[in-house]
Amino acid sequence: MNWIGLPAHNRFLETELDRILEFGRHGKVPNGFGWISNTGGIRAEMGTHLWITARMVHVYAAAALMGRPGARSLAAHGVECLTNGILRDRKNGGWYAVVANEGDQVTDRKKEAYAHMFVALGAASATAADIPGARELLNLAIEVVDKHFWSDAENMCLDNWDEAFTHCDDYRGGNANMHAVEAFLILHDVTHDDVWLDRSLSIASLLIHDVARSNHYRVNEHFDQQWNPILDYNKDAPGDRFRAFGGTPGHWVEWGRLLVQLRATMLAEGKTPPAWIVEDAEGLFNGAVRDAWSTDGAPGFVYSVDWDGNPVIRSRIRWVIVEAIGSAYALHQVTGDAKYSAYYQEFWDYCRDHLMDYETGSWWQELNENNEVSSLVWNGKQDIYHLLHCLLVPRLPLTPGLVPALAEGLLDRIEN
């Protein structure tokens, strides 16, 4: 039985989305959106992170277009904090990585590529949802991306800068570039500028078709300035939240969805996508299942693997399976292969059995190898960005992107 597009299943997704959106409201703090604890409070010691605040703008811009009372004001709060709040560096440009939840204390002054890509995503989504102030924020975000993070010489995104944008790390990151593709697709939908498609294809061509394809679709994420993979990066700190050692299969499936969406957008624009896109998207999904899905004696995706596919961090992190759900949906839509709808159902069964927390709210962020609540990598339920995807992506066409599609009234109008 195929759940994708089934009205009864979509009602489940809608009900769960409302539960998640209510939990996310707890994250609002004066300077943006804070780090939500496992019980729905704010972990004040973590401060207000740029990436969380920007992602929550994206979330509540979507909710506003779905008619959820209060969502528009939450999205507007995030836009205001990013435009006029302490997170924004008016002297040097861009946004600080972390500030206090209230007041004017900046606790991490570096300019992170990863977080700035979410500012671009949040600004584009808020613009599509007509959130007050969003267009100004969008213009600021595009200016910073063009000036500091996109490299015409490399045809890729650079990584972290210092506060004044005078020194850029030698490190080049696959994670930031993946989220650049996510943001660039929405920027294209909102601005109708094909430069964002060209940049997305350039990133995907290098990271996936040139590098990952030749590595059994185990995606390299750590590179030097010449884009040579650094295979032992963080080997002594394998559980790093954003730069884990080895391969992170959650990103492989996330890439699978993004590739399919890039292809769909190119086709909608009358462009000819490369023939390899679907093949590589399937290779990424199948590689993640091969290496990480229930491979160590218990159900669930392991968080990371080495370059032979052996588990490194066995924790089950919720965003991994959430992105696998979206990838299974996207690949089913583009291939019609029933195995993807079967995986879609299998993944959802796992989520209901292990991750969905009806006592303290939202979903658990991390389980150990025995599917017990743990905090080896993550402590808390930070935000609800990834959860939005598994609850909305399967109800929308492959293009345009999430919030622009909602703005066009395309919810629950997919074709199987």
Side-chain angles (χ1 to χ4, degrees):
M1 183 178 182
N2 180 16
W3 287 2
I4 296 171
L6 189 69
H9 178 62
N10 286 352
R11 287 195 294 273
F12 161 78
L13 298 178
E14 181 104 352
T15 300
E16 182 63 8
L17 177 63
D18 282 336
R19 190 176 75 89
I20 296 305
L21 290 172
E22 283 303 305
F23 184 86
R25 293 177 67 89
H26 300 159
K28 182 181 177 182
V29 296
N31 283 337
F33 289 89
W35 188 293
I36 305 176
S37 73
N38 278 334
T39 56
I42 293 293
R43 293 190 60 197
E45 77 279 9
M46 299 301 293
T48 297
H49 288 248
L50 177 61
W51 59 272
I52 291 178
T53 296
R55 288 178 5 166
M56 293 292 260
V57 170
H58 167 69
V59 167
Y60 284 103
L65 286 173
M66 296 181 70
R68 270 35 182 193
R72 182 175 174 83
S73 61
L74 285 170
H77 167 71
V79 168
E80 172 66 18
C81 288
L82 291 172
T83 307
N84 299 311
I86 190 65
L87 276 166
R88 182 181 166 199
D89 181 356
R90 289 173 181 77
K91 177 182 177 182
N92 300 296
W95 289 267
Y96 297 117
V98 189
V99 301
N101 287 333
E102 55 185 322
D104 59 1
Q105 182 184 10
V106 178
T107 56
D108 189 342
R109 293 180 174 272
K110 69 175 175 286
K111 306 294 171 61
E112 299 175 323
Y114 173 87
H116 278 73
M117 296 310 153
F118 283 116
V119 174
L121 174 67
S125 295
T127 299
D130 197 26
I131 302 300
R135 181 64 65 171
E136 178 185 357
L137 179 61
L138 178 66
N139 292 337
L140 290 170
I142 290 174
E143 179 183 8
V144 172
V145 169
D146 283 343
K147 185 175 182 180
H148 297 296
F149 290 105
W150 179 257
S151 168
D152 285 325
E154 299 178 21
N155 277 321
M156 298 288 287
C157 286
L158 306 177
D159 217 82
N160 296 348
W161 290 82
D162 63 352
E163 177 182 4
F165 284 111
T166 56
H167 173 75
C168 181
D169 288 354
D170 293 340
Y171 172 91
R172 299 291 185 266
N175 190 9
N177 273 271
M178 181 189 71
H179 284 293
V181 171
E182 177 188 22
F184 290 177
L185 290 177
I186 307 300
L187 285 172
H188 169 267
D189 292 338
V190 172
T191 67
H192 307 291
D193 188 340
D194 285 349
V195 70
W196 303 111
L197 291 184
D198 296 339
R199 291 177 178 181
S200 296
L201 184 58
S202 176
I203 294 170
S205 296
L206 173 64
L207 292 182
I208 303 305
H209 192 61
D210 293 348
V211 179
R213 184 187 178 100
S214 63
N215 192 35
H216 306 286
Y217 289 107
R218 296 180 180 120
V219 179
N220 292 278
E221 304 209 358
H222 313 301
F223 298 84
D224 64 18
Q225 283 181 291
Q226 287 72 46
W227 289 97
N228 300 305
I230 309 174
L231 297 180
D232 61 351
Y233 188 90
N234 264 347
K235 192 169 184 177
D236 295 331
D240 189 273
R241 289 172 182 158
F242 299 105
R243 297 183 179 183
F245 163 71
T248 309
H251 287 152
W252 311 355
V253 291
E254 195 167 359
W255 261 117
R257 171 176 61 84
L258 290 171
L259 288 178
V260 170
Q261 290 177 318
L262 171 59
R263 175 182 180 273
T265 303
M266 293 181 70
L267 289 172
E269 292 293 317
K271 299 178 181 294
T272 302
W276 51 262
I277 284 188
V278 174
E279 180 181 351
D280 283 4
E282 290 195 271
L284 292 163
F285 182 95
N286 293 332
V289 169
R290 173 200 65 214
D291 286 359
W293 177 241
S294 303
T295 56
D296 62 349
F301 278 102
V302 300
Y303 179 54
S304 63
V305 298
D306 65 19
W307 298 118
D308 293 317
N310 302 307
V312 176
I313 300 295
R314 297 175 182 270
S315 298
R316 275 68 169 147
I317 311 294
R318 79 177 183 200
W319 70 260
V320 176
I321 195 159
V322 163
E323 292 299 338
I325 287 170
S327 189
Y329 158 74
L331 285 167
H332 177 265
Q333 293 306 99
V334 78
T335 69
D337 191 332
K339 82 172 185 180
Y340 295 114
S341 61
Y343 274 123
Y344 177 88
Q345 179 176 332
E346 186 176 349
F347 295 159
W348 266 116
D349 283 341
Y350 172 86
C351 292
R352 182 62 187 90
D353 289 344
H354 299 286
L355 284 170
M356 296 166 70
D357 178 9
Y358 284 97
E359 294 184 7
T360 55
S362 190
W363 295 23
W364 296 112
Q365 177 75 334
E366 178 180 334
L367 306 176
N368 65 18
E369 63 271 24
N370 299 313
N371 285 296
E372 301 162 334
V373 177
S374 63
S375 57
L376 178 65
V377 180
W378 291 97
N379 190 335
K381 297 174 179 174
Q382 293 75 47
D383 68 342
I384 56 174
Y385 150 84
H386 283 290
L387 293 175
L388 179 82
H389 291 171
C390 73
L391 297 166
L392 272 183
V393 166
R395 301 173 62 192
L396 294 166
L398 296 174
T399 191
L402 193 150
V403 178
L406 290 172
E408 292 186 22
L410 299 177
L411 186 66
D412 293 336
R413 294 190 181 181
I414 64 170
E415 297 180 0
N416 289 319

